[in-house]
Amino acid sequence: MMDWKKLLTPKRLGKTELENPQFDRTPFLRDYDRLVFSSPFRRLKDKTQVFSLSTNDYIRTRLIHSLEVSCVGRSLGRIVGEKIVNTHKLNDYGFTASDFGDIISAACLAHDIGNPPFGHSGEDAIRTGFESWYNTVNHVGEELLSKFQKADFDSFEGNAQGFRILTKLEMRPQKGGMQLTCPTLAAFTKYPRESLLSESTLNGYSGRSVKKYGFFQAEKDLFAEVAETVGLIRRHENAAWWSRHPLAFLVEAADDICYSIIDVEDAHRMGYISFEKTTCLLNKIAEIDINKHDESSVEKVKRLRAKAIHNLIGQATDIFFAHEQEILSGEFDEDLLCRSRYGNDLEEIAKVTRSSVFQHRNVVNIQIAGYEVLGKLFSDFVNAILHDSKKAKLIYHMLPKEYHPNSDEDTYNKILRITDYISGMTDSYATSLFQQFSGISLG
């Protein structure tokens, strides 16, 4: 059984001692501030949420999405925190409801920080680019990577890249990178497992937390330190696989609430979903009289969005309270909102946005372009650091010096340098670089 006092320890990754308390900012508020001032967070302003490179100023980028998720997460955390602090008498140990809100809002703020350009299609593009490159260079049967290292790229994950950014790439070379608190890092990690788990290890397990993975082999020891510090339950003694930190369920809920509701609002703004369909979808959750006020259709949709988010926050916290003991024991492993009375309505929203938005030719065109752009950049840069052709030497000079590998690095870490570079690109930067490499633009 996990213990709230340990789950909330303010210890920072990479530091052996607790920091001196500051009256103006708690350790968890300092996590939030470090994230806001970080370069990877700022780059989210030019990364795809749904509508890549949109000319509509209203439509959300990854940056705005992350801020909105953080706001919802803070509300979820404070509501849950107030009850848990009272129930477990955590105020005797110096914890407050605000600590819960601050941990979750910081984790939410960072939840997309590792996403490459072009949204989730960017992750697929890197996976496909790696597969194509690996099959080309590995035709003689030489094992360039271990099976665990290869799995990191075969199923490349923005979540794992995010953990790498937070714990190693930013504020290097200090151990722990940004040295965020362990509770924030644990709540951030929705998938606390390595990329390769055998069928015998999983043994039929199909919980929500194993749908993806949360850290690369390169950061496996760092996550193990986080897990040990906050007292996560290890699910298998011979694999890097733990139960979720309880607050990770609320981070996931905040993200789910925002993209479910807000994707509909943005799709309406872009003209992909009619006003009638939008109000029908949102009002099944908002449950308000949309004709009560004399207002424009735009304002009606805004009011529906706000009320729907409010109602889903209430559902998520109620479900969390109902299953707190199962969550602390590691037995509960579902997304909270699947237990919601709005579950069927959320499924309908997902179905409509999938058909009306994600399969719309304008969105698909951008996704296809993402494959072309990132696939070429991955292949060209990996060849540049691993091979010695004339073209490779030229492209090597295009790679910023901080991504140049050291002479003693193995192939795995060399490739990670390229995925670090590509994942950190904005949509427009990746597109511009691709054009230069393709001879489309010589500027």
Side-chain angles (χ1 to χ4, degrees):
M1 183 76 73
M2 289 179 276
D3 177 14
W4 278 116
K5 294 187 293 295
K6 194 169 185 179
L7 289 165
L8 300 172
T9 177
K11 185 180 183 302
R12 294 190 176 280
L13 179 66
K15 284 195 171 185
T16 55
E17 70 287 340
L18 293 176
E19 62 193 340
N20 293 325
Q22 295 186 356
F23 295 108
D24 56 336
R25 293 187 300 161
T26 67
F28 309 124
L29 271 177
R30 294 180 70 189
D31 286 348
Y32 186 95
D33 294 350
R34 289 183 187 187
L35 289 162
V36 167
F37 283 93
S38 69
S39 298
F41 180 72
R42 289 197 303 277
R43 285 197 291 269
L44 293 176
K45 75 182 188 316
D46 186 16
K47 287 198 176 187
T48 297
Q49 173 58 18
V50 176
F51 308 100
S52 182
L53 306 175
S54 175
T55 56
N56 186 330
D57 289 341
Y58 178 84
I59 301 305
R60 292 160 172 90
T61 63
R62 285 275 172 196
L63 181 71
I64 300 303
H65 168 70
S66 297
L67 289 167
E68 291 177 335
V69 173
S70 182
C71 290
V72 172
R74 183 181 61 229
S75 297
L76 287 166
R78 291 191 176 190
I79 295 168
V80 165
E82 184 174 4
K83 184 169 182 177
I84 289 176
V85 165
N86 291 333
T87 301
H88 297 272
K89 296 182 170 51
L90 295 180
N91 51 342
D92 294 345
Y93 301 90
F95 296 112
T96 68
S98 292
D99 290 330
F100 286 75
D102 293 342
I103 291 168
I104 295 173
S105 65
C108 287
L109 197 69
H111 83 283
D112 274 347
I113 207 165
N115 277 28
F118 305 106
H120 291 298
S121 64
E123 293 173 307
D124 288 335
I126 291 175
R127 296 166 194 154
T128 303
F130 170 78
E131 180 183 18
S132 176
W133 171 83
Y134 192 84
N135 290 339
T136 300
V137 300
N138 205 42
H139 61 278
V140 294
E142 179 187 1
E143 289 301 322
L144 301 174
L145 304 166
S146 75
K147 64 180 182 180
F148 289 96
Q149 292 172 338
K150 184 172 179 291
D152 283 353
F153 301 115
D154 282 334
S155 52
F156 179 83
E157 259 299 323
N159 290 288
Q161 184 66 29
F163 187 79
R164 178 171 167 83
I165 287 170
L166 300 178
T167 62
K168 184 174 287 184
L169 300 185
E170 280 295 288
M171 300 174 70
R172 63 189 345 175
Q174 69 180 6
K175 183 188 176 185
M178 295 178 74
Q179 293 189 334
L180 302 180
T181 62
C182 290
T184 292
L185 290 169
F188 165 86
T189 310
K190 295 185 289 185
Y191 308 100
R193 50 156 288 192
E194 60 188 329
S195 59
L196 184 62
L197 292 180
S198 67
E199 290 299 323
S200 60
T201 297
L202 284 168
N203 194 28
Y205 189 88
S206 59
R208 176 73 170 179
S209 66
V210 296
K211 297 303 181 187
K212 300 179 182 180
Y213 70 95
F215 47 85
F216 298 127
Q217 291 298 302
E219 287 74 50
K220 181 165 67 173
D221 290 345
L222 287 172
F223 186 80
E225 184 176 337
V226 170
E228 175 66 26
T229 300
V230 299
L232 301 187
I233 298 169
R234 190 153 194 163
R235 292 199 182 276
H236 198 284
E237 61 181 9
N238 296 321
W241 176 23
W242 289 264
S243 63
R244 276 181 173 178
H245 189 289
L247 300 187
F249 288 96
L250 295 171
V251 172
E252 179 179 62
D255 189 24
D256 289 350
I257 288 169
C258 285
Y259 76 69
S260 294
I261 302 303
I262 288 168
D263 280 0
V264 176
E265 183 185 17
D266 278 357
H268 171 59
R269 280 290 189 124
M270 293 292 285
Y272 294 164
I273 302 179
S274 69
F275 172 72
E276 291 73 22
K277 187 64 175 177
T278 299
T279 55
C280 177
L281 288 171
L282 294 183
N283 212 14
K284 289 182 178 180
I285 299 173
E287 300 178 306
I288 62 175
D289 179 4
I290 64 169
N291 296 314
K292 184 177 180 180
H293 303 284
D294 183 17
E295 57 192 357
S296 68
S297 60
V298 169
E299 292 303 318
K300 286 180 180 178
V301 171
K302 286 182 181 179
R303 195 151 55 87
L304 285 167
R305 175 250 296 161
K307 186 61 175 176
I309 289 175
H310 172 81
N311 288 350
L312 289 172
I313 286 173
Q315 286 282 287
T317 53
D318 287 348
I319 295 163
F320 187 92
F321 293 140
H323 297 280
E324 182 196 353
Q325 290 306 304
E326 298 163 71
I327 289 170
L328 288 172
S329 69
E331 296 171 41
F332 184 93
D333 195 5
E334 305 172 32
D335 62 288
L336 296 175
L337 293 176
C338 77
R339 297 286 186 103
S340 166
R341 68 187 179 92
Y342 300 117
N344 291 336
D345 303 316
L346 290 169
E347 285 184 16
E348 184 181 359
I349 284 175
K351 181 179 179 181
V352 171
T353 52
R354 186 165 52 248
S355 61
S356 300
V357 180
F358 295 104
Q359 294 173 5
H360 192 282
R361 62 178 296 125
N362 292 346
V363 175
V364 171
N365 280 341
I366 294 298
Q367 292 174 341
I368 293 171
Y371 276 96
E372 295 298 319
V373 170
L374 299 191
K376 178 175 177 57
L377 293 179
F378 178 88
S379 178
D380 283 353
F381 278 120
V382 169
N383 284 328
I385 62 171
L386 294 179
H387 300 292
D388 202 29
S389 68
K390 289 183 178 180
K391 180 182 178 183
K393 289 179 179 178
L394 290 173
I395 293 176
Y396 188 85
H397 291 300
M398 295 289 289
L399 186 66
K401 287 186 178 180
E402 61 264 34
Y403 298 102
H404 288 187
N406 299 321
S407 58
D408 60 343
E409 282 186 327
D410 60 12
T411 300
Y412 172 70
N413 281 287
K414 287 178 180 178
I415 298 175
L416 275 176
R417 285 184 178 266
I418 301 307
T419 51
D420 289 342
Y421 181 40
I422 291 175
S423 294
M425 293 178 181
T426 62
D427 289 16
S428 56
Y429 179 84
T431 301
S432 174
L433 197 59
F434 169 80
Q435 290 172 341
Q436 291 178 45
F437 279 22
S438 304
I440 299 170
S441 170
L442 298 178

PDB file of all heavy atoms in Angstrom, residues 136-158:
ATOM      1  N   THR A 136      17.599  -0.725 -43.456  1.00  0.00           N
ATOM      2  CA  THR A 136      18.545  -0.448 -44.537  1.00  0.00           C
ATOM      3  C   THR A 136      19.978  -0.746 -44.125  1.00  0.00           C
ATOM      4  O   THR A 136      20.739  -1.374 -44.866  1.00  0.00           O
ATOM      5  CB  THR A 136      18.440   1.029 -44.974  1.00  0.00           C
ATOM      6  OG1 THR A 136      17.120   1.285 -45.428  1.00  0.00           O
ATOM      7  CG2 THR A 136      19.425   1.336 -46.092  1.00  0.00           C
ATOM      8  N   VAL A 137      20.347  -0.310 -42.914  1.00  0.00           N
ATOM      9  CA  VAL A 137      21.745  -0.459 -42.488  1.00  0.00           C
ATOM     10  C   VAL A 137      22.014  -1.809 -41.841  1.00  0.00           C
ATOM     11  O   VAL A 137      23.165  -2.207 -41.675  1.00  0.00           O
ATOM     12  CB  VAL A 137      22.142   0.656 -41.487  1.00  0.00           C
ATOM     13  CG1 VAL A 137      21.971   2.020 -42.135  1.00  0.00           C
ATOM     14  CG2 VAL A 137      21.341   0.566 -40.196  1.00  0.00           C
ATOM     15  N   ASN A 138      20.974  -2.531 -41.479  1.00  0.00           N
ATOM     16  CA  ASN A 138      21.152  -3.769 -40.722  1.00  0.00           C
ATOM     17  C   ASN A 138      20.969  -5.010 -41.585  1.00  0.00           C
ATOM     18  O   ASN A 138      20.703  -6.088 -41.084  1.00  0.00           O
ATOM     19  CB  ASN A 138      20.165  -3.802 -39.548  1.00  0.00           C
ATOM     20  CG  ASN A 138      20.659  -4.686 -38.413  1.00  0.00           C
ATOM     21  OD1 ASN A 138      21.828  -4.654 -38.074  1.00  0.00           O
ATOM     22  ND2 ASN A 138      19.762  -5.461 -37.837  1.00  0.00           N
ATOM     23  N   HIS A 139      21.100  -4.850 -42.907  1.00  0.00           N
ATOM     24  CA  HIS A 139      20.822  -5.984 -43.794  1.00  0.00           C
ATOM     25  C   HIS A 139      21.850  -7.104 -43.662  1.00  0.00           C
ATOM     26  O   HIS A 139      21.603  -8.235 -44.057  1.00  0.00           O
ATOM     27  CB  HIS A 139      20.779  -5.510 -45.256  1.00  0.00           C
ATOM     28  CG  HIS A 139      22.067  -4.915 -45.742  1.00  0.00           C
ATOM     29  ND1 HIS A 139      22.411  -3.614 -45.481  1.00  0.00           N
ATOM     30  CD2 HIS A 139      23.091  -5.441 -46.455  1.00  0.00           C
ATOM     31  CE1 HIS A 139      23.589  -3.346 -46.018  1.00  0.00           C
ATOM     32  NE2 HIS A 139      24.028  -4.444 -46.606  1.00  0.00           N
ATOM     33  N   VAL A 140      23.024  -6.817 -43.072  1.00  0.00           N
ATOM     34  CA  VAL A 140      24.037  -7.862 -42.917  1.00  0.00           C
ATOM     35  C   VAL A 140      23.847  -8.634 -41.612  1.00  0.00           C
ATOM     36  O   VAL A 140      24.588  -9.554 -41.321  1.00  0.00           O
ATOM     37  CB  VAL A 140      25.462  -7.253 -42.940  1.00  0.00           C
ATOM     38  CG1 VAL A 140      25.747  -6.662 -44.310  1.00  0.00           C
ATOM     39  CG2 VAL A 140      25.617  -6.198 -41.862  1.00  0.00           C
ATOM     40  N   GLY A 141      22.851  -8.241 -40.819  1.00  0.00           N
ATOM     41  CA  GLY A 141      22.557  -8.970 -39.592  1.00  0.00           C
ATOM     42  C   GLY A 141      23.318  -8.484 -38.378  1.00  0.00           C
ATOM     43  O   GLY A 141      23.220  -9.071 -37.305  1.00  0.00           O
ATOM     44  N   GLU A 142      24.065  -7.399 -38.510  1.00  0.00           N
ATOM     45  CA  GLU A 142      24.806  -6.856 -37.377  1.00  0.00           C
ATOM     46  C   GLU A 142      23.837  -6.267 -36.360  1.00  0.00           C
ATOM     47  O   GLU A 142      22.937  -5.517 -36.718  1.00  0.00           O
ATOM     48  CB  GLU A 142      25.762  -5.767 -37.867  1.00  0.00           C
ATOM     49  CG  GLU A 142      26.570  -5.114 -36.757  1.00  0.00           C
ATOM     50  CD  GLU A 142      27.380  -3.933 -37.261  1.00  0.00           C
ATOM     51  OE1 GLU A 142      27.290  -3.625 -38.463  1.00  0.00           O
ATOM     52  OE2 GLU A 142      28.078  -3.319 -36.448  1.00  0.00           O
ATOM     53  N   GLU A 143      24.053  -6.588 -35.088  1.00  0.00           N
ATOM     54  CA  GLU A 143      23.184  -6.059 -34.044  1.00  0.00           C
ATOM     55  C   GLU A 143      23.733  -4.722 -33.572  1.00  0.00           C
ATOM     56  O   GLU A 143      24.704  -4.665 -32.811  1.00  0.00           O
ATOM     57  CB  GLU A 143      23.083  -7.049 -32.886  1.00  0.00           C
ATOM     58  CG  GLU A 143      22.292  -8.302 -33.201  1.00  0.00           C
ATOM     59  CD  GLU A 143      20.854  -8.008 -33.624  1.00  0.00           C
ATOM     60  OE1 GLU A 143      20.253  -7.082 -33.055  1.00  0.00           O
ATOM     61  OE2 GLU A 143      20.361  -8.694 -34.520  1.00  0.00           O
ATOM     62  N   LEU A 144      23.118  -3.652 -34.021  1.00  0.00           N
ATOM     63  CA  LEU A 144      23.574  -2.314 -33.662  1.00  0.00           C
ATOM     64  C   LEU A 144      23.111  -1.908 -32.277  1.00  0.00           C
ATOM     65  O   LEU A 144      23.748  -1.089 -31.617  1.00  0.00           O
ATOM     66  CB  LEU A 144      23.064  -1.296 -34.686  1.00  0.00           C
ATOM     67  CG  LEU A 144      23.490  -1.511 -36.142  1.00  0.00           C
ATOM     68  CD1 LEU A 144      22.778  -0.512 -37.035  1.00  0.00           C
ATOM     69  CD2 LEU A 144      24.999  -1.374 -36.275  1.00  0.00           C
ATOM     70  N   LEU A 145      21.973  -2.468 -31.847  1.00  0.00           N
ATOM     71  CA  LEU A 145      21.363  -2.097 -30.573  1.00  0.00           C
ATOM     72  C   LEU A 145      20.895  -3.343 -29.847  1.00  0.00           C
ATOM     73  O   LEU A 145      20.598  -4.370 -30.472  1.00  0.00           O
ATOM     74  CB  LEU A 145      20.152  -1.187 -30.810  1.00  0.00           C
ATOM     75  CG  LEU A 145      20.368   0.106 -31.607  1.00  0.00           C
ATOM     76  CD1 LEU A 145      19.017   0.689 -32.019  1.00  0.00           C
ATOM     77  CD2 LEU A 145      21.152   1.112 -30.780  1.00  0.00           C
ATOM     78  N   SER A 146      20.802  -3.273 -28.526  1.00  0.00           N
ATOM     79  CA  SER A 146      20.186  -4.363 -27.780  1.00  0.00           C
ATOM     80  C   SER A 146      18.687  -4.347 -28.051  1.00  0.00           C
ATOM     81  O   SER A 146      18.141  -3.348 -28.527  1.00  0.00           O
ATOM     82  CB  SER A 146      20.450  -4.202 -26.282  1.00  0.00           C
ATOM     83  OG  SER A 146      19.632  -3.161 -25.748  1.00  0.00           O
ATOM     84  N   LYS A 147      18.010  -5.429 -27.723  1.00  0.00           N
ATOM     85  CA  LYS A 147      16.566  -5.487 -27.985  1.00  0.00           C
ATOM     86  C   LYS A 147      15.814  -4.445 -27.163  1.00  0.00           C
ATOM     87  O   LYS A 147      14.785  -3.924 -27.603  1.00  0.00           O
ATOM     88  CB  LYS A 147      16.019  -6.887 -27.730  1.00  0.00           C
ATOM     89  CG  LYS A 147      16.110  -7.361 -26.280  1.00  0.00           C
ATOM     90  CD  LYS A 147      15.526  -8.769 -26.141  1.00  0.00           C
ATOM     91  CE  LYS A 147      15.567  -9.229 -24.680  1.00  0.00           C
ATOM     92  NZ  LYS A 147      14.987 -10.601 -24.531  1.00  0.00           N
ATOM     93  N   PHE A 148      16.325  -4.124 -25.988  1.00  0.00           N
ATOM     94  CA  PHE A 148      15.676  -3.101 -25.157  1.00  0.00           C
ATOM     95  C   PHE A 148      15.904  -1.711 -25.741  1.00  0.00           C
ATOM     96  O   PHE A 148      14.991  -0.879 -25.764  1.00  0.00           O
ATOM     97  CB  PHE A 148      16.214  -3.156 -23.727  1.00  0.00           C
ATOM     98  CG  PHE A 148      15.779  -4.362 -22.962  1.00  0.00           C
ATOM     99  CD1 PHE A 148      16.592  -5.485 -22.888  1.00  0.00           C
ATOM    100  CD2 PHE A 148      14.550  -4.391 -22.319  1.00  0.00           C
ATOM    101  CE1 PHE A 148      16.191  -6.609 -22.187  1.00  0.00           C
ATOM    102  CE2 PHE A 148      14.134  -5.509 -21.606  1.00  0.00           C
ATOM    103  CZ  PHE A 148      14.957  -6.627 -21.542  1.00  0.00           C
ATOM    104  N   GLN A 149      17.129  -1.452 -26.223  1.00  0.00           N
ATOM    105  CA  GLN A 149      17.420  -0.157 -26.846  1.00  0.00           C
ATOM    106  C   GLN A 149      16.625   0.021 -28.131  1.00  0.00           C
ATOM    107  O   GLN A 149      16.062   1.088 -28.378  1.00  0.00           O
ATOM    108  CB  GLN A 149      18.922  -0.054 -27.133  1.00  0.00           C
ATOM    109  CG  GLN A 149      19.787   0.021 -25.899  1.00  0.00           C
ATOM    110  CD  GLN A 149      21.270  -0.081 -26.221  1.00  0.00           C
ATOM    111  OE1 GLN A 149      21.656  -0.597 -27.279  1.00  0.00           O
ATOM    112  NE2 GLN A 149      22.107   0.402 -25.321  1.00  0.00           N
ATOM    113  N   LYS A 150      16.559  -1.029 -28.929  1.00  0.00           N
ATOM    114  CA  LYS A 150      15.819  -0.957 -30.193  1.00  0.00           C
ATOM    115  C   LYS A 150      14.338  -0.683 -29.938  1.00  0.00           C
ATOM    116  O   LYS A 150      13.702   0.080 -30.678  1.00  0.00           O
ATOM    117  CB  LYS A 150      15.997  -2.243 -30.981  1.00  0.00           C
ATOM    118  CG  LYS A 150      15.349  -2.236 -32.368  1.00  0.00           C
ATOM    119  CD  LYS A 150      15.735  -3.484 -33.148  1.00  0.00           C
ATOM    120  CE  LYS A 150      15.083  -3.503 -34.522  1.00  0.00           C
ATOM    121  NZ  LYS A 150      13.619  -3.692 -34.461  1.00  0.00           N
ATOM    122  N   ALA A 151      13.785  -1.274 -28.885  1.00  0.00           N
ATOM    123  CA  ALA A 151      12.364  -1.073 -28.562  1.00  0.00           C
ATOM    124  C   ALA A 151      12.065   0.388 -28.253  1.00  0.00           C
ATOM    125  O   ALA A 151      10.968   0.874 -28.527  1.00  0.00           O
ATOM    126  CB  ALA A 151      11.959  -1.955 -27.383  1.00  0.00           C
ATOM    127  N   ASP A 152      13.035   1.115 -27.698  1.00  0.00           N
ATOM    128  CA  ASP A 152      12.833   2.542 -27.415  1.00  0.00           C
ATOM    129  C   ASP A 152      12.522   3.322 -28.687  1.00  0.00           C
ATOM    130  O   ASP A 152      11.725   4.268 -28.656  1.00  0.00           O
ATOM    131  CB  ASP A 152      14.082   3.148 -26.763  1.00  0.00           C
ATOM    132  CG  ASP A 152      14.216   2.792 -25.288  1.00  0.00           C
ATOM    133  OD1 ASP A 152      13.283   2.182 -24.736  1.00  0.00           O
ATOM    134  OD2 ASP A 152      15.253   3.145 -24.688  1.00  0.00           O
ATOM    135  N   PHE A 153      13.155   2.944 -29.796  1.00  0.00           N
ATOM    136  CA  PHE A 153      12.932   3.656 -31.053  1.00  0.00           C
ATOM    137  C   PHE A 153      11.811   3.035 -31.888  1.00  0.00           C
ATOM    138  O   PHE A 153      11.096   3.742 -32.596  1.00  0.00           O
ATOM    139  CB  PHE A 153      14.235   3.688 -31.873  1.00  0.00           C
ATOM    140  CG  PHE A 153      15.372   4.342 -31.157  1.00  0.00           C
ATOM    141  CD1 PHE A 153      16.498   3.620 -30.797  1.00  0.00           C
ATOM    142  CD2 PHE A 153      15.313   5.682 -30.815  1.00  0.00           C
ATOM    143  CE1 PHE A 153      17.556   4.221 -30.120  1.00  0.00           C
ATOM    144  CE2 PHE A 153      16.361   6.298 -30.139  1.00  0.00           C
ATOM    145  CZ  PHE A 153      17.483   5.565 -29.793  1.00  0.00           C
ATOM    146  N   ASP A 154      11.659   1.712 -31.793  1.00  0.00           N
ATOM    147  CA  ASP A 154      10.566   1.045 -32.516  1.00  0.00           C
ATOM    148  C   ASP A 154       9.201   1.616 -32.110  1.00  0.00           C
ATOM    149  O   ASP A 154       8.293   1.715 -32.924  1.00  0.00           O
ATOM    150  CB  ASP A 154      10.563  -0.458 -32.231  1.00  0.00           C
ATOM    151  CG  ASP A 154      11.622  -1.202 -33.028  1.00  0.00           C
ATOM    152  OD1 ASP A 154      12.014  -0.720 -34.107  1.00  0.00           O
ATOM    153  OD2 ASP A 154      12.061  -2.271 -32.564  1.00  0.00           O
ATOM    154  N   SER A 155       9.078   1.962 -30.835  1.00  0.00           N
ATOM    155  CA  SER A 155       7.817   2.515 -30.340  1.00  0.00           C
ATOM    156  C   SER A 155       8.071   3.871 -29.675  1.00  0.00           C
ATOM    157  O   SER A 155       7.605   4.138 -28.572  1.00  0.00           O
ATOM    158  CB  SER A 155       7.161   1.548 -29.351  1.00  0.00           C
ATOM    159  OG  SER A 155       8.075   1.159 -28.340  1.00  0.00           O
ATOM    160  N   PHE A 156       8.831   4.721 -30.361  1.00  0.00           N
ATOM    161  CA  PHE A 156       9.256   6.013 -29.807  1.00  0.00           C
ATOM    162  C   PHE A 156       8.098   6.746 -29.159  1.00  0.00           C
ATOM    163  O   PHE A 156       7.019   6.870 -29.728  1.00  0.00           O
ATOM    164  CB  PHE A 156       9.872   6.878 -30.900  1.00  0.00           C
ATOM    165  CG  PHE A 156      10.317   8.226 -30.405  1.00  0.00           C
ATOM    166  CD1 PHE A 156      11.543   8.373 -29.799  1.00  0.00           C
ATOM    167  CD2 PHE A 156       9.501   9.341 -30.533  1.00  0.00           C
ATOM    168  CE1 PHE A 156      11.953   9.608 -29.313  1.00  0.00           C
ATOM    169  CE2 PHE A 156       9.897  10.575 -30.058  1.00  0.00           C
ATOM    170  CZ  PHE A 156      11.136  10.710 -29.441  1.00  0.00           C
ATOM    171  N   GLU A 157       8.328   7.262 -27.954  1.00  0.00           N
ATOM    172  CA  GLU A 157       7.279   7.866 -27.140  1.00  0.00           C
ATOM    173  C   GLU A 157       7.630   9.292 -26.717  1.00  0.00           C
ATOM    174  O   GLU A 157       8.680   9.521 -26.107  1.00  0.00           O
ATOM    175  CB  GLU A 157       7.067   7.038 -25.865  1.00  0.00           C
ATOM    176  CG  GLU A 157       5.869   6.135 -25.900  1.00  0.00           C
ATOM    177  CD  GLU A 157       4.573   6.879 -26.081  1.00  0.00           C
ATOM    178  OE1 GLU A 157       4.405   7.973 -25.538  1.00  0.00           O
ATOM    179  OE2 GLU A 157       3.711   6.356 -26.801  1.00  0.00           O
ATOM    180  N   GLY A 158       6.727  10.221 -26.999  1.00  0.00           N
ATOM    181  CA  GLY A 158       6.893  11.578 -26.505  1.00  0.00           C
ATOM    182  C   GLY A 158       6.886  11.637 -24.995  1.00  0.00           C
ATOM    183  O   GLY A 158       7.526  12.507 -24.384  1.00  0.00           O
TER     184      GLY A 158
END
